Amino acid sequence: MRRIADTRAPWCVTVYGDAGAWLRGNHPTEQARTQIRDVLRALADAGAPTSTTDAIRGQLERLASDTADRVRMDERIRSVGIFATPEECESIPLITSPAPWVGVGDRFLIAPLVEGMLAVQPPVFALAASENSIRLVDVTAHPPRVVDVPGLPESLRTTVRLDLTGDRDTLAHLRTSEDPKERLREYARAIHRAIGPVLHEAGALLLIAAAEPLSSILQDTLPNSASLAGTLPGNHDDDTPDRLGDLADSRVGEVRARRRESQLDRLTEASPSLVLYELDAIERASRAGAIDTLFIDTDWRAPAADAPPAGGLPDRHDELVRQALADDAIIVPVHPGPPDGTGPAAALLRYVTDF
């Protein structure tokens, strides 16, 4: 995302379109063809040379024709962001649904892409665990994928020595005289020791997918309870990563909704001296690097004073998002706009000052 945001070159073409129109067929759909025609008109209006127009048209037509053979899609993908220059073309599937858009400028329109990237944050890894099998699956990847975990236990039997002699009487004795839950706790702690560094490195939350009593024990032994995204009851040994992704989708949505609401609570509860709603003031604060959190309607469009003709960039809203990224500010997409404001954006400042 940062690379696309930082790109500046003549004839940057941005397209946001429906995933079904661009990514799920083996020939250009009418929707894709319409957006390609819009790109060609925008290039002509901006004075692009014929060689540039032909190169970009070829990039887009190949994308609309070939992706069904190259990209395995899942049904959670709703739209696609396309970023093309005469030299290359990149497409990024999104789970958000930005308004369809075509633009040409010296940089890409990134705000809908930022919203799409934020929509998959934080990552959520599902721990599909039983006494016989353990997997860690990134259910927020598209498609979901098994995460490599060095030292991950294989099963309860290989982690905890249940049978020292192989004798049936000894096993019966262990079952009746020892606490089975203590063996499960030892097993759970071994699992957490293995997955902990992986979760930390990815900044991921954990979704525990296990049957009782292992599910409760995994929750009780979790070193950081704040990293728990929720649970999926039952045994999931036979579920594919795609199936786990489908089952986890509502839990992941709940986590992200809670995080968004907590950010909105920060805005409504902050001191008025730290909150800006007026767009000119927000832009001044942005240029000064004073914004801690930017709340912005990513469907809003407004040309900047130095915007090129033919609907090109820069765009006021996009420049705010770009500056917020550069300043490591938090960005919170909101629709149709921030609460308690009358415009498309609001800012929570890092310090009290007059803008």
Side-chain angles (χ1 to χ4, degrees):
M1 182 174 67
R2 180 78 68 175
R3 175 176 52 79
I4 291 173
D6 291 343
T7 297
R8 298 193 73 144
W11 318 119
C12 289
V13 169
T14 309
V15 178
Y16 289 96
D18 179 69
W22 283 93
L23 302 180
R24 294 196 175 101
N26 56 13
H27 64 278
T29 65
E30 185 53 40
Q31 287 174 282
R33 289 185 186 278
T34 297
Q35 289 195 302
I36 292 173
R37 288 194 293 268
D38 290 342
V39 167
L40 300 180
R41 279 194 292 268
L43 286 166
D45 291 342
T50 301
S51 58
T52 294
T53 300
D54 290 344
I56 290 176
R57 176 173 55 199
Q59 300 266 22
L60 296 176
E61 288 178 346
R62 282 192 294 274
L63 175 66
S65 300
D66 299 340
T67 37
D69 297 327
R70 294 187 282 108
V71 179
R72 182 162 71 94
M73 298 288 295
D74 70 51
E75 294 304 315
R76 291 172 293 173
I77 298 297
R78 299 177 184 175
S79 62
V80 61
I82 301 167
F83 309 94
T85 66
E87 292 76 31
E88 59 183 351
C89 180
E90 181 171 358
S91 65
I92 300 180
L94 304 171
I95 65 170
T96 52
S97 300
W101 195 85
V102 166
V104 176
D106 65 350
R107 68 201 85 170
F108 298 119
L109 187 84
I110 61 167
L113 176 64
V114 169
E115 180 177 8
M117 296 296 99
L118 293 175
V120 295
Q121 296 297 325
V124 178
F125 292 175
L127 178 66
S130 71
E131 294 185 16
N132 302 311
S133 174
I134 309 170
R135 289 171 298 159
L136 191 65
V137 178
D138 182 353
V139 292
T140 48
H142 300 283
R145 62 179 181 85
V146 176
V147 180
D148 180 45
V149 181
L152 184 67
E154 296 179 2
S155 66
L156 175 65
R157 180 171 289 277
T158 60
T159 306
V160 182
R161 292 182 62 85
L162 299 179
D163 179 11
L164 301 179
T165 66
D167 176 59
R168 289 191 178 206
D169 291 337
T170 302
L171 281 173
H173 172 73
L174 285 170
R175 292 190 185 101
T176 57
S177 64
E178 295 182 6
D179 180 6
K181 288 190 176 179
E182 183 54 40
R183 296 195 291 272
L184 286 176
R185 280 190 283 271
E186 183 179 343
Y187 180 44
R189 287 190 286 267
I191 294 171
H192 287 311
R193 282 195 297 271
I195 68 174
V198 176
L199 293 171
H200 178 75
E201 183 177 358
L205 300 180
L206 183 66
L207 181 68
I208 294 175
E212 294 294 353
L214 182 58
S215 177
S216 293
I217 291 173
L218 284 166
Q219 293 174 65
D220 291 342
T221 54
L222 184 64
N224 178 14
S225 60
S227 66
L228 182 65
T231 62
L232 285 177
N235 185 292
H236 299 276
D237 286 356
D238 296 329
D239 287 338
T240 65
D242 285 341
R243 174 61 176 160
L244 282 169
D246 290 340
L247 293 172
D249 195 42
S250 62
R251 302 291 199 285
V252 172
E254 291 166 3
V255 168
R256 291 171 177 163
R258 288 197 300 269
R259 289 208 162 192
R260 178 179 175 277
E261 289 304 315
S262 69
Q263 292 293 351
L264 291 173
D265 288 343
R266 290 179 61 226
L267 178 67
T268 56
E269 295 169 3
S271 166
S273 61
L274 288 172
V275 178
L276 298 176
Y277 286 106
E278 201 274 324
L279 186 56
D280 289 341
I282 293 172
E283 288 175 325
R284 290 193 293 271
S286 176
R287 289 191 291 271
I291 294 180
D292 173 86
T293 307
L294 177 68
F295 302 82
I296 192 160
D297 180 355
T298 53
D299 285 333
W300 168 62
R301 299 281 182 272
D306 58 346
L313 296 176
D315 177 276
R316 291 184 81 177
H317 127 290
D318 216 56
E319 291 304 292
L320 280 174
V321 170
R322 198 180 302 274
Q323 186 64 51
L325 281 176
D327 293 336
D328 291 324
I330 299 168
I331 302 173
V332 182
V334 287
H335 300 287
D340 300 328
T342 58
L348 187 59
L349 299 177
R350 289 175 169 152
Y351 48 85
V352 176
T353 188
D354 184 12
F355 288 104

